[in-house]
Amino acid sequence: MSTEHDDARPVTIYTVAERAGVSIATVSRVLSGSTPASAMTRQRVLRAVEDLEYVPLRAGRAVDVPSHETHGLVLPGLRGPYYSELLSGFESTAAREGQSVVVVVCDASKDAEASVRKILGRVDGIVIANDTVSDAMVRQIVRSTPTVLVARDAIEGCDAVQVENFISSAELTRHLLEHGRTRLVFVGDPDTSHDVSERYRGFQHALTRKRGAEVAGPIRVQYEETSGRRVMEGLREAEAAGAQIDGLVCANDELALATMVLLGRDGRRVPDDVAVVGFDDIMTSRYLAPGLTTVQQPMRELGRWAAIRLHERIGGRTFDVHPQVLPTRMVVRGSCGCDWDQTSVVSD
């Protein structure tokens, strides 16, 4: 079996079959979901698809079903690197299949559900990221439109692509505990996001398994740089109540980096006085001093796999639509108390 792909050779279903060590019929069955395949076979085929960046060709449609050659992508915003990377991965993969992309940005100033309804008649399928629209509306959409969910709880009838959050957040928290920190607080609102709720659950899990560690309520803020001031207010409120916080587990890097800067302005040293960790591994995380200990998640891959799963569902695959969970990596830098940088895989 070949282990390397010749870049001069176009990637086809035959290439995938060769890489996975199976027949092209097996590759077709796995990607179409027409008949069950063993978990091991499916894993081998999907791994080959990922390694080769293969985009399955769409299955034939009935002649009376209109094709728009357009995919919809619903995002809660475009600010920051998270959604721009997701969009880049999705759009580039759709383009290789000859599809255009319509993006709907559902910020607080818009009626999200009305905006989504407007594009449903113009797309062949839709990807919905985070909690941009309600579960009830998703269940309505999926009745007539192939649908993939990204970074939100799975719903029957939809594909779902997620990143691992629970294990990596627990690992980050344990890492701070191993540095002797015992009065930790989670920064972010677990009630507003699937990903953040899983990160908070991992944080709680690690603390409850550590004897002597205190489990305080989270500082509930939005996941933006401007929330840093509210984080500082939350710290002062906790300290006024007698809690001397020595570690912050932030829901994302934007919160962590903004808080680190404000801690410095307040005369508090990171990590000496307060250790800080984040989530995402955005570019700035490695350039601030000290560097931010965080979790690297495959944001571009999240978009790429959302496009692939949407291609499959538009092509008619309805079997085996369990959530696809992408791995994350913990990146250790100086903000946790370490004096070196290292990266370790924390989930597969």
Side-chain angles (χ1 to χ4, degrees):
M1 181 176 66
S2 173
T3 57
E4 295 185 0
H5 172 61
D6 181 358
D7 289 338
R9 242 175 80 193
V11 177
T12 67
I13 192 171
Y14 296 91
T15 322
V16 174
E18 181 183 5
R19 172 66 65 91
V22 299
S23 68
I24 59 171
T26 298
V27 174
S28 178
R29 285 196 297 270
V30 168
L31 296 183
S32 68
S34 56
T35 57
S38 71
M40 182 177 293
T41 298
R42 176 179 168 79
Q43 183 178 15
R44 285 163 59 189
V45 170
L46 292 181
R47 175 65 69 182
V49 169
E50 181 174 3
D51 290 346
L52 296 167
E53 297 189 355
Y54 172 68
V55 178
L57 291 175
R58 199 166 45 182
R61 296 168 165 260
V63 293
D64 59 342
V65 178
S67 174
H68 303 282
E69 306 298 329
T70 302
H71 295 168
L73 176 61
V74 182
L75 299 174
L78 284 176
R79 290 199 307 171
Y82 179 96
Y83 294 112
S84 61
E85 282 290 295
L86 190 155
L87 173 59
S88 177
F90 182 83
E91 195 168 36
S92 62
T93 304
R96 285 199 294 270
E97 179 70 4
Q99 309 298 310
S100 58
V101 175
V102 174
V103 179
V104 176
V105 179
C106 298
D107 59 30
S109 66
K110 296 180 181 178
D111 182 338
E113 298 194 353
S115 299
V116 172
R117 286 191 185 96
K118 286 181 181 179
I119 71 162
L120 288 179
R122 300 190 284 120
V123 299
D124 299 316
I126 193 166
V127 170
I128 301 173
N130 300 84
D131 298 321
T132 44
V133 298
S134 67
D135 287 358
M137 183 172 183
V138 171
R139 292 188 179 96
Q140 292 176 9
I141 293 172
V142 75
R143 292 173 188 165
S144 59
T145 306
T147 305
V148 174
L149 306 178
V150 170
R152 65 180 288 165
D153 292 327
I155 294 177
E156 185 177 358
C158 305
D159 284 63
V161 185
Q162 306 164 348
V163 299
E164 197 293 308
N165 290 283
F166 173 84
I167 297 173
S168 47
S169 182
E171 185 73 12
L172 272 178
T173 306
R174 282 194 296 269
H175 187 74
L176 290 185
L177 294 172
E178 289 166 0
H179 276 284
R181 314 288 172 152
T182 58
R183 298 179 301 280
L184 307 181
V185 68
F186 185 87
V187 178
D189 191 345
D191 295 336
T192 59
S193 163
H194 164 82
D195 282 355
V196 176
S197 68
E198 285 296 289
R199 292 168 198 172
Y200 183 57
R201 195 167 67 86
F203 169 80
Q204 290 179 304
H205 177 78
L207 281 185
T208 54
R209 293 177 66 88
K210 176 70 173 179
R211 184 177 299 176
E214 299 177 10
V215 183
I219 298 176
R220 296 180 182 272
V221 295
Q222 293 303 306
Y223 324 116
E224 299 174 352
E225 175 189 345
T226 53
S227 296
R229 296 187 184 280
R230 177 67 191 98
V231 176
M232 295 299 295
E233 292 172 5
L235 282 177
R236 295 187 186 106
E237 291 168 4
E239 290 167 353
Q244 295 300 313
I245 304 301
D246 60 8
L248 300 177
V249 178
C250 298
N252 70 4
D253 286 356
E254 282 192 66
L255 277 175
L257 294 169
T259 302
M260 285 173 64
V261 170
L262 293 177
L263 284 168
R265 292 177 184 172
D266 201 42
R268 309 189 198 201
R269 297 167 299 168
V270 177
D272 303 66
D273 300 325
V274 183
V276 180
V277 296
F279 209 105
D280 286 341
D281 194 29
I282 64 177
M283 185 180 296
T284 312
S285 300
R286 67 200 71 162
Y287 294 116
L288 200 67
L292 178 65
T293 292
T294 185
V295 170
Q296 181 185 91
Q297 59 172 326
M299 295 172 283
R300 187 180 176 86
E301 283 296 288
L302 195 65
R304 191 174 78 82
W305 273 107
I308 290 174
R309 295 293 286 259
L310 186 61
H311 289 319
E312 294 177 356
R313 183 160 274 277
I314 290 171
R317 181 184 60 75
T318 56
F319 174 82
D320 190 17
V321 291
H322 62 283
Q324 181 174 350
V325 181
L326 304 183
T328 53
R329 296 174 180 267
M330 185 169 76
V331 181
V332 177
R333 299 191 179 102
S335 68
C336 60
C338 289
D339 55 4
W340 72 92
D341 290 358
Q342 59 183 346
T343 303
S344 61
V345 178
V346 296
S347 64
D348 289 310

